[in-house]
Amino acid sequence: MRLEESVRGQKLKRSNEQIRLLKRVSPEFRARHIEASHTGDLVSVDTFMVGSLKSVGRFYLQSVIDCHSR
């Protein structure tokens, strides 16, 4: 935790070799692209618990994103 606290906020420079290795290993560094031929061809659905109310209980938000237009 001390190491994390000491480097937090510092700008770290990565070499081209480090970036190349990160792109190969880490999905966060890889370019991701989904192709859909037309609107409505492919959608992404996710559900989130927004919160809870005493009188109602838990309530959720369902989001749908069209992958063609993003």
Side-chain angles (χ1 to χ4, degrees):
M1 291 184 76
R2 286 182 190 162
L3 175 61
E4 183 179 339
E5 289 173 5
S6 67
V7 297
R8 186 179 296 143
Q10 292 180 6
K11 193 77 169 175
L12 300 175
K13 288 206 115 187
R14 293 182 185 96
S15 69
N16 289 335
E17 178 69 17
Q18 289 172 323
I19 292 171
R20 187 181 63 77
L21 289 171
L22 283 170
K23 284 180 181 178
R24 188 177 61 172
V25 175
S26 179
E28 289 86 17
F29 283 87
R30 277 187 245 151
R32 295 183 182 175
H33 186 71
I34 297 173
E35 293 202 21
S37 59
H38 60 276
T39 304
D41 185 34
L42 181 64
V43 294
S44 176
V45 180
D46 202 355
T47 305
F48 305 92
M49 187 183 101
V50 177
S52 62
L53 297 172
K54 189 182 275 185
S55 61
V56 178
R58 291 182 180 170
F59 58 99
Y60 297 87
L61 171 71
Q62 188 172 31
S63 66
V64 179
I65 299 170
D66 178 28
C67 295
H68 178 72
S69 60
R70 291 186 271 329

